[in-house]
Amino acid sequence: MRELLYESTRGAGGKVTASQAILKGLAEDGGLFVPERIPELPFQLEELSGLSYQETAYGIMKEFLTDFTEEELRDCIDRAYDDKFDTKEIAPVKEADGSYYLELFHGATIAFKDMALSILPYLMVTSARKNRIKNEIVILTATSGDTGKAALAGFADVPGTKIIVFYPRDGVSPIQKKQMVTQKGENTFVVGIHGNFDDAQSGVKAMFGDRKLAEELAGRGYQFSSANSINIGRLVPQVVYYVYAYGQMMKKGMISAGEEINVTVPTGNFGNILAAYYAKLMGLPIGKLICASNENKVLYDFFRTGVYDRNREFILTSSPSMDILISSNLERLIYRIAGENAGKDASLMKALSETGRYEISGEMKAALADFRGSYADEKETAEEIRRVYRQAGYVIDPHTAVASCVCRKYREETGDGRKMLIASTASPYKFTRSVMDAIDGQYHDREDFELADILSEISGVPVPAAIEEIRTAPVLHTATCETGQMEEAVKQFLGIRA
């Protein structure tokens, strides 16, 4: 097989192997690693309906991770996609209300981040072994709610690793927070920051780019890597479930082989929809990629105007994983539509860093024809949860509701009749208060775990094990810090004193 190497979107550092890109997380120049080319789909479309999730994963991932042996890759896949998922399908497709919902929340932490973060620890440990890394790997992660718990669950007590998660202490749901602060594992550390997700993400990126800090850590036997979606080891596994979903839709008679579908994705950091775009570039018959935003609609404005501008109010919504004004993975798309011109990408990212905005050229904007942006406000989100439940008896979380609402708007505006796959990114049980308030406001005074029981009664879906486990779990992580104290918190956990 022809080797596939990775390069930085900002051009420095030369090309690296997949395992080296996974270990580094972020390129040394602050750019993101991208494959030097997008491989072709390794299957005939007709084959997809007969493949298991694990078989699909191996077929796709071997094309991107070419320095992994078959034995290494199959071992990672078998360890990741096992009975920690509550269905053998791993990511089932459900038809409801005229759309097809790709349920990505059947893993250990009931959110789509499990799909990639179940395998990333194994990819990373294998990568370290391949590259003869002696240092302990410190996973440094910012979360808007879901990545944190999924990463903690994936890396807890994995030999040769430690994991540090920063989250906005007042910017996640009560269930999300309880999931993180009750996390077991001697190698885990969770810190609530006094700020929002963008503050947490900026602090983490600053530490990645600090050469002096890297040298200091290396002297103590540590090196940073990332579990955020900026890591190519997160992005590649996400491509898998779009390919698998297409096969499932064929298997269930929802579409025929070669039929073009549209995909709607609730979007924050842009990794999930970028994975769908990569699947399209591989040859999967996807028409439009519909980017659904909540009231933090920086991406909607970008697709409409060609101007990315984060200089605006940060709004806390009922879909906190999308409460993001700096969508890191968008840089990978910018690099591509700039003709893989690293200098152009670097200058735009510099403008974003210095002024909070950038504007793409008309030629670049024309290259975004595959994408469509729209958004749903808080009122529309709640109404969509209620409408889908009343019309179809199907309960969706606020993030999925944003996508569902945007999907309806798109159909009404365009008349596009293609089948629509909606990425359902979290279980409604992760956001019980928002969901129950939308369905029936009479329960507003109940506490979150009681609401989970009521939700189970009205939906007929059992309360997931992930919720049952944290009902009475003790709080193990109480650390908080200001945004300017994140490096100090890291050093304290690692036992490094100034």
Side-chain angles (χ1 to χ4, degrees):
M1 182 184 292
R2 186 177 160 203
E3 186 177 34
L4 181 64
L5 297 176
Y6 290 78
E7 56 201 4
S8 169
T9 50
R10 301 186 193 178
K15 295 186 178 182
V16 299
T17 64
S19 62
Q20 288 168 338
I22 288 168
L23 283 172
K24 288 175 182 288
L26 195 66
E28 289 169 10
D29 59 1
L32 277 61
F33 286 112
V34 288
E36 59 186 349
R37 67 180 190 282
I38 301 295
E40 290 183 9
L41 206 62
F43 307 108
Q44 295 297 316
L45 291 175
E46 292 80 7
E47 292 178 70
L48 292 177
S49 61
L51 298 177
S52 69
Y53 193 89
Q54 293 82 354
E55 289 165 339
T56 309
Y58 176 71
I60 297 301
M61 292 173 68
K62 72 179 172 62
E63 299 296 318
F64 284 97
L65 310 180
T66 57
D67 64 328
F68 283 69
T69 67
E70 178 175 351
E71 183 183 7
E72 287 170 337
L73 200 47
R74 287 195 186 277
D75 181 62
C76 291
I77 289 166
D78 290 344
R79 287 169 178 262
Y81 304 112
D82 58 10
D83 58 10
K84 69 173 76 66
F85 286 82
D86 64 17
T87 170
K88 283 188 176 181
E89 287 179 288
I90 307 295
V93 177
K94 301 281 181 68
E95 185 176 359
D97 191 43
S99 293
Y100 301 90
Y101 292 85
L102 173 58
E103 293 187 346
L104 299 171
F105 51 76
H106 288 274
T109 75
I110 58 175
F112 84 101
K113 307 296 174 73
D114 288 324
M115 302 301 298
L117 282 165
S118 292
I119 194 168
L120 182 62
Y122 301 108
L123 294 175
M124 199 164 279
V125 170
T126 304
S127 296
R129 189 168 61 243
K130 293 175 79 66
N131 290 276
R132 297 180 172 83
I133 299 298
K134 303 298 184 196
N135 288 341
E136 193 161 13
I137 298 168
V138 179
I139 308 300
L140 192 61
T141 294
T143 186
S144 54
D146 287 337
T147 286
K149 173 58 182 179
L152 287 162
F155 281 94
D157 293 325
V158 171
T161 70
K162 292 188 186 298
I163 177 163
I164 303 168
V165 170
F166 291 96
Y167 73 96
R169 64 186 301 270
D170 297 319
V172 298
S173 80
I175 296 288
Q176 286 176 314
K177 184 174 180 178
K178 188 83 186 283
Q179 282 188 308
M180 286 188 281
V181 299
T182 58
Q183 177 64 51
K184 298 175 183 176
E186 292 297 315
N187 65 335
T188 64
F189 186 50
V190 181
V191 186
I193 69 159
H194 300 279
N196 60 40
F197 169 73
D198 288 332
D199 297 324
Q201 181 167 249
S202 296
V204 164
K205 279 189 167 183
M207 283 187 272
F208 269 108
D210 189 332
R211 296 261 176 110
K212 186 181 174 189
L213 177 60
E215 289 170 7
E216 188 177 357
L217 286 173
R220 300 297 186 97
Y222 298 116
Q223 69 183 63
F224 282 145
S225 191
S226 171
N228 278 87
S229 57
I230 55 174
N231 193 313
I232 199 70
R234 273 275 305 273
L235 187 60
V236 169
Q238 290 181 276
V239 177
V240 172
Y241 50 71
Y242 290 106
V243 178
Y244 177 73
Y246 192 90
Q248 289 300 294
M249 291 177 77
M250 285 195 299
K251 185 178 182 177
K252 295 177 179 179
M254 299 167 176
I255 56 171
S256 55
E259 183 177 344
E260 208 169 65
I261 63 170
N262 293 329
V263 177
T264 303
V265 186
T267 309
N269 221 16
F270 207 76
N272 201 357
I273 194 166
L274 184 72
Y277 180 56
Y278 276 20
K280 176 181 170 73
L281 294 175
M282 291 183 82
L284 197 69
I286 293 174
K288 289 290 184 186
L289 296 143
I290 298 148
C291 178
S293 299
N294 63 18
E295 288 183 10
N296 293 289
K297 55 188 179 68
V298 64
L299 287 166
Y300 163 71
D301 292 335
F302 169 71
F303 283 115
R304 187 170 52 87
T305 66
V307 176
Y308 192 97
D309 190 348
R310 66 175 175 83
N311 299 306
R312 62 184 70 203
E313 180 189 1
F314 184 94
I315 302 168
L316 292 174
T317 73
S318 59
S319 48
S321 296
M322 300 160 68
D323 291 347
I324 294 172
L325 295 181
I326 305 174
S327 299
S328 291
N329 274 289
L330 185 63
E331 181 171 350
R332 287 185 165 114
L333 180 61
I334 294 297
Y335 176 73
R336 184 171 183 88
I337 64 173
E340 300 187 347
N341 183 329
K344 178 67 173 172
D345 176 82
S347 70
L348 291 171
M349 294 308 120
K350 186 180 181 197
L352 180 64
S353 175
E354 292 177 353
T355 69
R357 74 188 298 279
Y358 62 79
E359 184 170 1
I360 61 174
S361 67
E363 186 180 6
M364 289 172 71
K365 192 167 187 291
L368 293 174
D370 290 331
F371 290 87
R372 175 81 173 235
S374 191
Y375 76 99
D377 63 25
E378 285 291 88
K379 183 169 181 283
E380 289 173 317
T381 302
E383 286 174 350
E384 188 70 6
I385 292 171
R386 182 164 56 253
R387 188 191 68 78
V388 173
Y389 172 68
R390 289 181 177 170
Q391 301 250 124
Y394 188 65
V395 182
I396 55 178
D397 90 293
H399 303 76
T400 308
V402 168
S404 183
C405 179
V406 162
C407 169
R408 279 194 308 108
K409 287 182 180 181
Y410 170 78
R411 282 178 169 148
E412 289 166 7
E413 289 167 6
T414 65
D416 188 338
R418 283 176 286 201
K419 306 280 175 57
M420 184 70 74
L421 183 70
I422 295 175
S424 183
T425 53
S427 165
Y429 284 98
K430 204 151 191 168
F431 303 93
T432 49
R433 184 162 301 282
S434 297
V435 170
M436 287 307 303
D437 280 351
I439 291 174
D440 190 340
Q442 70 169 303
Y443 302 108
H444 190 72
D445 59 342
R446 309 291 182 93
E447 59 92 28
D448 283 84
F449 290 103
E450 191 178 355
L451 288 174
D453 294 329
I454 297 167
L455 179 57
S456 180
E457 287 175 25
I458 69 162
S459 68
V461 177
V463 178
I467 299 297
E468 295 292 3
E469 285 167 6
I470 62 170
R471 269 187 203 263
T472 57
V475 171
L476 302 175
H477 302 274
T478 58
T480 61
C481 76
E482 301 298 328
T483 54
Q485 298 173 323
M486 291 169 64
E487 182 179 322
E488 187 182 323
V490 168
K491 287 183 175 180
Q492 188 174 349
F493 175 61
L494 298 177
I496 299 172
R497 295 289 177 265

Short mmCIF file of all heavy atoms in Angstrom, two decimals, residues 211-248:
data_model
loop_
_atom_site.label_atom_id
_atom_site.label_comp_id
_atom_site.label_asym_id
_atom_site.label_seq_id
_atom_site.Cartn_x
_atom_site.Cartn_y
_atom_site.Cartn_z
N ARG A 211 7.64 26.15 23.72
CA ARG A 211 8.84 25.31 23.59
C ARG A 211 9.54 25.13 24.94
O ARG A 211 10.05 24.05 25.25
CB ARG A 211 9.81 25.94 22.58
CG ARG A 211 9.25 26.00 21.16
CD ARG A 211 9.80 24.85 20.33
NE ARG A 211 9.20 24.85 19.00
CZ ARG A 211 9.86 25.16 17.91
NH1 ARG A 211 11.14 25.50 17.99
NH2 ARG A 211 9.26 25.10 16.74
N LYS A 212 9.61 26.22 25.70
CA LYS A 212 10.29 26.17 27.00
C LYS A 212 9.60 25.17 27.93
O LYS A 212 10.25 24.38 28.63
CB LYS A 212 10.31 27.57 27.64
CG LYS A 212 11.12 27.65 28.93
CD LYS A 212 11.08 29.05 29.51
CE LYS A 212 11.78 29.07 30.87
NZ LYS A 212 11.58 30.35 31.57
N LEU A 213 8.26 25.19 27.92
CA LEU A 213 7.50 24.25 28.74
C LEU A 213 7.74 22.82 28.27
O LEU A 213 7.90 21.91 29.09
CB LEU A 213 6.01 24.60 28.68
CG LEU A 213 5.05 23.67 29.44
CD1 LEU A 213 5.38 23.64 30.93
CD2 LEU A 213 3.60 24.11 29.21
N ALA A 214 7.78 22.62 26.95
CA ALA A 214 8.03 21.28 26.39
C ALA A 214 9.38 20.74 26.86
O ALA A 214 9.51 19.56 27.23
CB ALA A 214 7.97 21.32 24.87
N GLU A 215 10.40 21.60 26.86
CA GLU A 215 11.73 21.19 27.31
C GLU A 215 11.72 20.85 28.80
O GLU A 215 12.35 19.89 29.24
CB GLU A 215 12.74 22.30 27.03
CG GLU A 215 13.05 22.48 25.55
CD GLU A 215 13.86 23.73 25.26
OE1 GLU A 215 14.30 24.40 26.23
OE2 GLU A 215 14.04 24.05 24.06
N GLU A 216 11.01 21.65 29.57
CA GLU A 216 10.91 21.41 31.00
C GLU A 216 10.22 20.07 31.29
O GLU A 216 10.67 19.29 32.13
CB GLU A 216 10.13 22.56 31.67
CG GLU A 216 10.14 22.50 33.19
CD GLU A 216 9.42 23.69 33.81
OE1 GLU A 216 8.97 24.60 33.08
OE2 GLU A 216 9.31 23.70 35.06
N LEU A 217 9.15 19.78 30.55
CA LEU A 217 8.44 18.52 30.71
C LEU A 217 9.32 17.34 30.29
O LEU A 217 9.36 16.31 30.98
CB LEU A 217 7.16 18.53 29.88
CG LEU A 217 6.00 19.38 30.38
CD1 LEU A 217 4.88 19.41 29.36
CD2 LEU A 217 5.48 18.88 31.70
N ALA A 218 10.02 17.50 29.16
CA ALA A 218 10.88 16.43 28.66
C ALA A 218 11.95 16.07 29.69
O ALA A 218 12.30 14.90 29.87
CB ALA A 218 11.51 16.83 27.33
N GLY A 219 12.44 17.09 30.37
CA GLY A 219 13.45 16.87 31.42
C GLY A 219 12.92 16.06 32.58
O GLY A 219 13.69 15.44 33.33
N ARG A 220 11.59 16.05 32.73
CA ARG A 220 10.94 15.27 33.80
C ARG A 220 10.32 13.98 33.26
O ARG A 220 9.61 13.29 33.99
CB ARG A 220 9.86 16.11 34.48
CG ARG A 220 10.37 17.39 35.12
CD ARG A 220 11.36 17.12 36.25
NE ARG A 220 11.71 18.34 36.94
CZ ARG A 220 11.14 18.76 38.08
NH1 ARG A 220 10.19 18.05 38.63
NH2 ARG A 220 11.55 19.88 38.65
N GLY A 221 10.55 13.69 31.96
CA GLY A 221 10.05 12.43 31.39
C GLY A 221 8.64 12.48 30.87
O GLY A 221 7.95 11.45 30.79
N TYR A 222 8.15 13.68 30.50
CA TYR A 222 6.79 13.85 29.99
C TYR A 222 6.79 14.50 28.62
O TYR A 222 7.69 15.26 28.27
CB TYR A 222 5.95 14.74 30.92
CG TYR A 222 5.74 14.21 32.31
CD1 TYR A 222 6.25 14.90 33.42
CD2 TYR A 222 5.02 13.05 32.54
CE1 TYR A 222 6.05 14.44 34.72
CE2 TYR A 222 4.81 12.57 33.83
CZ TYR A 222 5.33 13.26 34.91
OH TYR A 222 5.13 12.80 36.19
N GLN A 223 5.73 14.24 27.83
CA GLN A 223 5.48 15.01 26.62
C GLN A 223 3.99 15.12 26.39
O GLN A 223 3.22 14.19 26.68
CB GLN A 223 6.17 14.40 25.40
CG GLN A 223 5.61 13.08 24.91
CD GLN A 223 6.42 12.52 23.75
OE1 GLN A 223 7.60 12.21 23.89
NE2 GLN A 223 5.79 12.41 22.59
N PHE A 224 3.56 16.28 25.89
CA PHE A 224 2.14 16.53 25.65
C PHE A 224 1.65 15.84 24.38
O PHE A 224 2.37 15.72 23.39
CB PHE A 224 1.88 18.03 25.46
CG PHE A 224 1.86 18.83 26.73
CD1 PHE A 224 2.35 20.13 26.74
CD2 PHE A 224 1.32 18.32 27.89
CE1 PHE A 224 2.32 20.91 27.88
CE2 PHE A 224 1.28 19.08 29.05
CZ PHE A 224 1.78 20.38 29.05
N SER A 225 0.39 15.41 24.41
CA SER A 225 -0.35 15.10 23.21
C SER A 225 -1.80 15.51 23.47
O SER A 225 -2.15 15.89 24.59
CB SER A 225 -0.25 13.62 22.84
OG SER A 225 -0.78 13.43 21.53
N SER A 226 -2.62 15.44 22.44
CA SER A 226 -3.99 15.95 22.55
C SER A 226 -5.03 14.90 22.25
O SER A 226 -4.84 14.06 21.37
CB SER A 226 -4.17 17.12 21.57
OG SER A 226 -5.53 17.51 21.50
N ALA A 227 -6.14 14.96 22.97
CA ALA A 227 -7.29 14.11 22.67
C ALA A 227 -8.41 14.93 22.03
O ALA A 227 -9.47 14.40 21.74
CB ALA A 227 -7.80 13.43 23.93
N ASN A 228 -8.18 16.24 21.84
CA ASN A 228 -9.17 17.06 21.16
C ASN A 228 -9.26 16.67 19.69
O ASN A 228 -8.40 15.98 19.16
CB ASN A 228 -8.82 18.55 21.28
CG ASN A 228 -9.26 19.14 22.61
OD1 ASN A 228 -8.53 19.07 23.58
ND2 ASN A 228 -10.45 19.70 22.66
N SER A 229 -10.29 17.17 19.02
CA SER A 229 -10.50 16.80 17.63
C SER A 229 -9.45 17.41 16.71
O SER A 229 -9.45 17.13 15.51
CB SER A 229 -11.91 17.21 17.16
OG SER A 229 -12.11 18.59 17.36
N ILE A 230 -8.54 18.23 17.25
CA ILE A 230 -7.41 18.68 16.45
C ILE A 230 -6.47 17.51 16.16
O ILE A 230 -5.67 17.56 15.22
CB ILE A 230 -6.62 19.82 17.15
CG1 ILE A 230 -6.17 19.42 18.56
CG2 ILE A 230 -7.46 21.10 17.18
CD1 ILE A 230 -5.28 20.43 19.25
N ASN A 231 -6.54 16.43 16.95
CA ASN A 231 -5.67 15.27 16.74
C ASN A 231 -6.22 14.44 15.58
O ASN A 231 -7.39 14.06 15.58
CB ASN A 231 -5.59 14.42 18.01
CG ASN A 231 -4.46 13.40 17.96
OD1 ASN A 231 -4.29 12.69 16.97
ND2 ASN A 231 -3.69 13.32 19.03
N ILE A 232 -5.36 14.15 14.61
CA ILE A 232 -5.81 13.38 13.45
C ILE A 232 -6.30 11.99 13.85
O ILE A 232 -7.12 11.38 13.17
CB ILE A 232 -4.69 13.30 12.38
CG1 ILE A 232 -5.26 12.94 11.01
CG2 ILE A 232 -3.58 12.34 12.79
CD1 ILE A 232 -6.08 14.03 10.37
N GLY A 233 -5.83 11.50 15.02
CA GLY A 233 -6.29 10.23 15.54
C GLY A 233 -7.72 10.26 16.04
O GLY A 233 -8.34 9.22 16.28
N ARG A 234 -8.28 11.46 16.19
CA ARG A 234 -9.70 11.63 16.48
C ARG A 234 -10.49 11.72 15.19
O ARG A 234 -11.60 11.19 15.07
CB ARG A 234 -9.93 12.93 17.28
CG ARG A 234 -9.79 12.82 18.78
CD ARG A 234 -11.05 12.36 19.47
NE ARG A 234 -12.23 13.16 19.18
CZ ARG A 234 -12.59 14.24 19.83
NH1 ARG A 234 -11.85 14.69 20.82
NH2 ARG A 234 -13.70 14.87 19.51
N LEU A 235 -9.95 12.42 14.22
CA LEU A 235 -10.70 12.71 13.00
C LEU A 235 -10.89 11.47 12.12
O LEU A 235 -12.00 11.22 11.63
CB LEU A 235 -9.97 13.81 12.21
CG LEU A 235 -10.70 14.37 10.99
CD1 LEU A 235 -12.04 14.98 11.39
CD2 LEU A 235 -9.83 15.41 10.29
N VAL A 236 -9.85 10.68 11.95
CA VAL A 236 -9.94 9.51 11.06
C VAL A 236 -11.03 8.53 11.51
O VAL A 236 -11.84 8.09 10.69
CB VAL A 236 -8.57 8.82 10.91
CG1 VAL A 236 -8.70 7.47 10.22
CG2 VAL A 236 -7.60 9.73 10.14
N PRO A 237 -11.11 8.17 12.81
CA PRO A 237 -12.19 7.25 13.21
C PRO A 237 -13.59 7.82 12.98
O PRO A 237 -14.55 7.06 12.86
CB PRO A 237 -11.92 7.03 14.71
CG PRO A 237 -10.46 7.29 14.87
CD PRO A 237 -10.17 8.40 13.92
N GLN A 238 -13.71 9.15 12.93
CA GLN A 238 -15.03 9.75 12.69
C GLN A 238 -15.47 9.58 11.24
O GLN A 238 -16.68 9.55 10.96
CB GLN A 238 -15.01 11.23 13.08
CG GLN A 238 -14.91 11.46 14.58
CD GLN A 238 -14.93 12.95 14.92
OE1 GLN A 238 -13.90 13.62 14.88
NE2 GLN A 238 -16.09 13.44 15.26
N VAL A 239 -14.54 9.48 10.33
CA VAL A 239 -14.90 9.24 8.92
C VAL A 239 -15.65 7.91 8.80
O VAL A 239 -16.58 7.77 8.01
CB VAL A 239 -13.63 9.22 8.03
CG1 VAL A 239 -13.99 8.90 6.58
CG2 VAL A 239 -12.89 10.56 8.11
N VAL A 240 -15.24 6.96 9.65
CA VAL A 240 -15.78 5.59 9.57
C VAL A 240 -17.29 5.57 9.68
O VAL A 240 -17.98 4.90 8.89
CB VAL A 240 -15.16 4.70 10.68
CG1 VAL A 240 -15.85 3.34 10.73
CG2 VAL A 240 -13.66 4.55 10.48
N TYR A 241 -17.85 6.29 10.65
CA TYR A 241 -19.28 6.10 10.90
C TYR A 241 -20.17 6.68 9.82
O TYR A 241 -21.33 6.26 9.67
CB TYR A 241 -19.72 6.53 12.30
CG TYR A 241 -19.33 7.89 12.82
CD1 TYR A 241 -19.88 9.06 12.32
CD2 TYR A 241 -18.46 7.99 13.91
CE1 TYR A 241 -19.57 10.29 12.86
CE2 TYR A 241 -18.13 9.22 14.45
CZ TYR A 241 -18.68 10.37 13.93
OH TYR A 241 -18.38 11.60 14.47
N TYR A 242 -19.68 7.60 9.01
CA TYR A 242 -20.48 8.06 7.87
C TYR A 242 -20.52 6.99 6.78
O TYR A 242 -21.57 6.77 6.16
CB TYR A 242 -19.92 9.38 7.34
CG TYR A 242 -20.16 10.53 8.31
CD1 TYR A 242 -19.13 11.06 9.05
CD2 TYR A 242 -21.44 11.04 8.50
CE1 TYR A 242 -19.35 12.09 9.96
CE2 TYR A 242 -21.68 12.06 9.41
CZ TYR A 242 -20.63 12.58 10.13
OH TYR A 242 -20.86 13.59 11.05
N VAL A 243 -19.39 6.34 6.55
CA VAL A 243 -19.35 5.26 5.57
C VAL A 243 -20.24 4.11 6.04
O VAL A 243 -21.03 3.54 5.27
CB VAL A 243 -17.91 4.78 5.35
CG1 VAL A 243 -17.86 3.61 4.36
CG2 VAL A 243 -17.02 5.94 4.85
N TYR A 244 -20.13 3.77 7.33
CA TYR A 244 -20.93 2.69 7.90
C TYR A 244 -22.43 3.02 7.82
O TYR A 244 -23.25 2.15 7.48
CB TYR A 244 -20.52 2.47 9.35
CG TYR A 244 -21.32 1.43 10.10
CD1 TYR A 244 -21.16 0.07 9.83
CD2 TYR A 244 -22.24 1.80 11.08
CE1 TYR A 244 -21.89 -0.89 10.52
CE2 TYR A 244 -22.98 0.84 11.77
CZ TYR A 244 -22.79 -0.50 11.49
OH TYR A 244 -23.52 -1.44 12.18
N ALA A 245 -22.78 4.29 8.10
CA ALA A 245 -24.19 4.70 8.06
C ALA A 245 -24.77 4.51 6.67
O ALA A 245 -25.92 4.07 6.52
CB ALA A 245 -24.33 6.16 8.50
N TYR A 246 -23.99 4.84 5.66
CA TYR A 246 -24.47 4.67 4.28
C TYR A 246 -24.77 3.19 4.01
O TYR A 246 -25.81 2.85 3.42
CB TYR A 246 -23.43 5.21 3.29
CG TYR A 246 -23.95 5.34 1.88
CD1 TYR A 246 -24.55 6.52 1.45
CD2 TYR A 246 -23.86 4.28 0.98
CE1 TYR A 246 -25.05 6.64 0.16
CE2 TYR A 246 -24.35 4.39 -0.31
CZ TYR A 246 -24.95 5.56 -0.72
OH TYR A 246 -25.45 5.69 -2.00
N GLY A 247 -23.88 2.31 4.48
CA GLY A 247 -24.11 0.87 4.33
C GLY A 247 -25.35 0.40 5.07
O GLY A 247 -26.13 -0.41 4.55
N GLN A 248 -25.56 0.95 6.29
CA GLN A 248 -26.76 0.58 7.05
C GLN A 248 -28.03 1.05 6.37
O GLN A 248 -29.05 0.36 6.39
CB GLN A 248 -26.67 1.18 8.47
CG GLN A 248 -25.63 0.51 9.36
CD GLN A 248 -25.92 -0.97 9.54
OE1 GLN A 248 -26.91 -1.37 10.14
NE2 GLN A 248 -25.05 -1.81 8.97
#
